[in-house]
Amino acid sequence: MHRFFIRMDNIKTDEEIEILRENALLVSRTLAEVAKHVEQGVSTLELDKVAEQFIRDHGAEPGFLGYEGFPNSLCISVNNVVVHGIPSGYRLQEGDIVSVDCGTKMKGYYGDSAYTFAVGRISPEAEMLLKVTKESLYKGITQAVHGNRIGDISNAIQSQVERSGYSVVREMVGHAIGRKMHERPDVPNYGRRGQGPKLLSGMVICIEPMINIGKKEIYHDRRDGWTVRTVDGSLSAHYELTVAVGRDKADVLSTFEFVEKVLNNKN
Ligand code: MG
Ligand code: MG
C-alpha cells in the first residue's frame, strides 16, 4: 500500500530497524502463505482471510485493515487493476496476474510488501511484464545506499522499465516506513539521477514499482473509492520490498525468498 504523500528526515535507530525487520519478515512469510493458496477458483476474499489469520497467529495486526478506512487485510489487484483492489468474491482464473500487497503492524511499527502472482499459465507478454517489474525493483534496491539520492533509485527503475516498452505509474509512489506506514520521503518510480532527497544510512523505505504494459494513465474507481485501474485496460504489475539504506549496500528487510520457495515447489 502507498499513498501520495506525507512528512522528513527519517533515520531509524538499530533497534527500530530490527522491529521493522520483524514486521518485514512477517509480511514476507504471510505472502508465502498466500502463495500456497493462489490458484484457479480461489476467491480473493479467501486469500484475504488466509493472510489475516496468519498475521494474527503470529502476534501482529493486519496493517491495512481499517487504514484510512480500507476494509480488508490485503490489497488484491487483478490484471488491469494497478493497486488497492478490494478482496471480493471474484475467483481467480487461469491466466490472471494478481498483485497481493500485504501490511502488518507489530510493536508499534509497520511492515509492507507486495508480490504479483501468475495464476496457472499466463501469456508470454504477462510473464515478461512480471519479470521486468521485479527486475526493476532489484535495480532500484542497488541504489539504496548512503549518499545517493532518491532520484537514483527512481531512475534505475524507470530506465529498466521503459527500455522494455512499459510505463511507470506516476500518481502513486513508494515511501519511508516506521511508526506510520507512509512516511517521508516519497520514493517515486520515475525521476532523474542525482535529484531528490539524499539517502542516509538508517532510512527505511519501501520501494514499489507499479508498472503498466500499456500507457501510464490510471483512474480511481469512484464507487469503492480505492480500486486503481489502468485507463487503457492494460495489465499492470506491482512488487514491493522494504529496505534499510546502508553505508555500502541496502539491507533488504523483506524478502521474496519464502514466496518463491512455495512457487518453485508448486511447479
Ligand atoms: Mg504495499
Ligand atoms: Mg508501500
Side-chain angles (χ1 to χ4, degrees):
M1 199 183 247
H2 22 59
R3 198 187 161 202
F4 301 71
F5 222 90
I6 313 187
R7 310 160 326 137
M8 195 78 201
D9 204 17
N10 201 339
I11 309 298
K12 267 70 180 183
T13 64
D14 290 348
E15 291 75 16
E16 287 180 295
I17 290 174
E18 290 317 307
I19 299 174
L20 285 161
R21 190 190 310 277
E22 282 184 57
N23 273 281
L25 288 174
L26 180 55
V27 168
S28 306
R29 292 187 191 283
T30 306
L31 288 172
E33 191 63 24
V34 170
K36 294 177 189 168
H37 296 84
V38 170
E39 59 188 10
Q40 196 178 342
V42 73
S43 77
T44 57
L45 201 54
E46 286 162 359
L47 297 179
D48 183 71
K49 294 303 161 211
V50 165
E52 177 171 2
Q53 193 62 51
F54 191 84
I55 291 167
R56 293 194 190 283
D57 286 348
H58 289 79
E61 287 167 43
F64 296 170
L65 185 63
Y67 184 88
E68 297 190 350
F70 191 76
N72 291 85
S73 298
L74 297 177
C75 296
I76 304 185
S77 306
V78 181
N79 295 334
N80 64 325
V81 178
V82 181
V83 286
H84 301 173
I86 298 176
S88 71
Y90 175 78
R91 293 189 181 280
L92 298 180
Q93 296 178 25
E94 172 117 25
D96 284 345
I97 61 170
V98 52
S99 136
V100 176
D101 195 350
C102 180
T104 58
K105 191 179 186 192
M106 181 168 46
K107 301 182 183 174
Y109 290 79
Y110 281 96
D112 181 15
S113 295
Y115 196 89
T116 302
F117 296 94
V119 182
R121 285 179 68 118
I122 61 173
S123 69
E125 293 77 13
E127 195 88 60
M128 187 59 73
L129 174 68
L130 300 193
K131 179 170 180 281
V132 170
T133 304
K134 189 167 25 155
E135 281 173 0
S136 78
L137 167 56
Y138 288 125
K139 289 267 190 217
I141 288 172
T142 64
Q143 298 298 314
V145 178
H146 182 85
N148 275 1
R149 302 265 176 180
I150 291 285
D152 295 318
I153 297 174
S154 308
N155 187 264
I157 294 169
Q158 183 179 15
S159 309
Q160 173 81 2
V161 163
E162 291 184 350
R163 201 177 302 132
S164 301
Y166 305 144
S167 53
V168 173
V169 170
R170 302 299 206 267
E171 290 85 345
M172 286 162 303
V173 296
H175 50 92
I177 188 167
R179 288 187 173 277
K180 295 185 176 167
M181 185 146 48
H182 301 117
E183 300 182 350
R184 292 264 311 262
D186 285 350
V187 185
N189 299 302
Y190 65 99
R192 296 210 181 120
R193 252 186 271 173
Q195 305 271 309
K198 204 171 214 177
L199 292 165
L200 302 170
S201 181
M203 281 181 168
V204 178
I205 55 176
C206 295
I207 305 177
E208 50 178 318
M210 288 153 267
I211 306 304
N212 301 344
I213 206 167
K215 296 206 166 75
K216 67 180 184 302
E217 284 74 22
I218 56 158
Y219 70 98
H220 275 86
D221 187 318
R222 289 207 188 147
R223 289 164 302 175
D224 67 26
W226 283 100
T227 309
V228 174
R229 294 190 182 83
T230 56
V231 167
D232 63 8
S234 67
L235 294 177
S236 187
H238 176 213
Y239 291 86
E240 175 177 21
L241 288 170
T242 302
V243 310
V245 175
R247 285 271 156 201
D248 305 308
K249 70 194 280 278
D251 179 4
V252 187
L253 304 184
S254 57
T255 176
F256 296 147
E257 191 189 326
F258 309 130
V259 164
E260 290 177 348
K261 199 170 165 198
V262 170
L263 297 180
N264 289 336
N265 286 342
K266 272 185 174 180
N267 294 334

